Amino acid sequence: MSPSGLLRAELWLSRAMSRRVLEPGWPTKRWLVAGLGNPGLPGTRHSVGMAVLGQLARRLGVADSWTRDRRCVADLALAPLGDDAQLVLLRPRRLMNANGRSVAQAAKLFGLTAEEVYLVHDELDKPLGKLALKLGGSARGHNGVRSCISCLNSSAMPRLRVGIGRPTHQSAVQDHVLGCFSPDEQELLPPLLDRATDLLLEHIRARSQGPSSGP
């Protein structure tokens, strides 16, 4: 397909996605799940949130449905969850410290509040293999989360924190987070991604079945 044809196809998909948001009969509950990270560096510890999102897309059968959305500067995929709920999966195409712009634009596009936006990101203060689902709070020094708080003007977003461990020396933190997982660490990743996906889906399903969309 020529570049102009590809652009027309992307615009058509983007407009079609917008129409689907507004059509009657579509899910009454919708959740945005954003995997924070750096585009072009999918195998690094800092982008483990994107790895979780990839596993979530595979679990939901939409791994081949990613669409680049120029309005959000992100890759989007829509996935049904039960009979009346839907997940909007988002992978920002901006650098980590600007991820919040993509997340906020997608939340606006789909008419979602901060409480309906899940952030999945790396956590230095937890060892690799440990997970924690946190409801709101401060950024705790994470630039991607800080960007989301600033752009959404809220700190209410639920966050799945994926442990990557902290190096012994503070001076090594940047190299650690931007580095790839070691061969030994890579062996731990598949079960970690599965457990992270389980935890996300369990929490979102429980909220979808509840009387309100609050955490």
Side-chain angles (χ1 to χ4, degrees):
M1 182 180 293
S2 67
S4 61
L6 181 60
L7 176 58
R8 286 195 297 272
E10 288 179 349
L11 289 173
W12 182 89
L13 285 170
S14 198
R15 289 166 183 160
M17 187 175 289
S18 294
R19 289 195 296 272
R20 290 173 72 179
V21 172
L22 301 175
E23 285 178 0
W26 276 85
T28 57
K29 294 187 178 180
R30 182 179 278 117
W31 313 93
L32 173 65
V33 185
L36 304 188
N38 285 306
L41 298 172
T44 64
R45 297 181 182 91
H46 214 21
S47 294
V48 71
M50 289 185 171
V52 173
L53 212 66
Q55 179 63 16
L56 180 59
R58 288 188 288 273
R59 180 80 64 86
L60 297 174
V62 296
D64 297 324
S65 301
W66 293 102
T67 301
R68 184 171 183 177
D69 192 292
R70 295 179 182 274
R71 295 162 299 180
C72 304
V73 192
D75 296 325
L76 295 176
L78 303 181
L81 189 68
D83 295 330
D84 64 348
Q86 184 185 64
L87 296 188
V88 179
L89 309 184
L90 180 140
R91 298 185 306 202
R93 282 181 170 267
R94 293 183 167 104
L95 294 176
M96 178 68 90
N97 60 6
N99 273 191
R101 293 169 59 193
S102 293
V103 174
Q105 287 164 341
K108 181 179 180 180
L109 176 65
F110 287 91
L112 301 175
T113 65
E115 291 84 356
E116 295 166 325
V117 175
Y118 281 77
L119 306 179
V120 187
H121 61 89
D122 58 302
E123 175 58 63
L124 275 168
D125 292 327
K126 290 189 176 298
L128 181 66
K130 295 295 183 180
L131 300 168
L133 208 158
K134 175 181 174 63
L135 300 179
S138 69
R140 298 171 59 91
H142 194 286
N143 289 334
V145 176
R146 182 182 294 112
S147 173
C148 291
I149 291 174
S150 175
C151 293
L152 287 164
N153 196 29
S154 174
S155 61
M157 298 78 71
R159 300 160 215 173
L160 179 59
R161 299 154 59 198
V162 183
I164 61 170
R166 181 182 288 276
T168 304
H169 300 290
Q170 182 65 26
S171 60
V173 166
Q174 183 172 345
D175 288 341
H176 178 73
V177 299
L178 295 179
C180 293
F181 290 103
S182 70
D184 288 342
E185 290 174 330
Q186 289 176 13
E187 293 183 5
L188 300 176
L189 281 181
L192 173 62
L193 299 182
D194 273 332
R195 288 191 292 109
T197 299
D198 290 340
L199 183 57
L200 270 174
L201 289 176
E202 179 182 351
H203 195 268
I204 295 172
R205 284 186 175 121
R207 294 180 69 193
S208 295
Q209 295 166 3
S212 69
S213 63

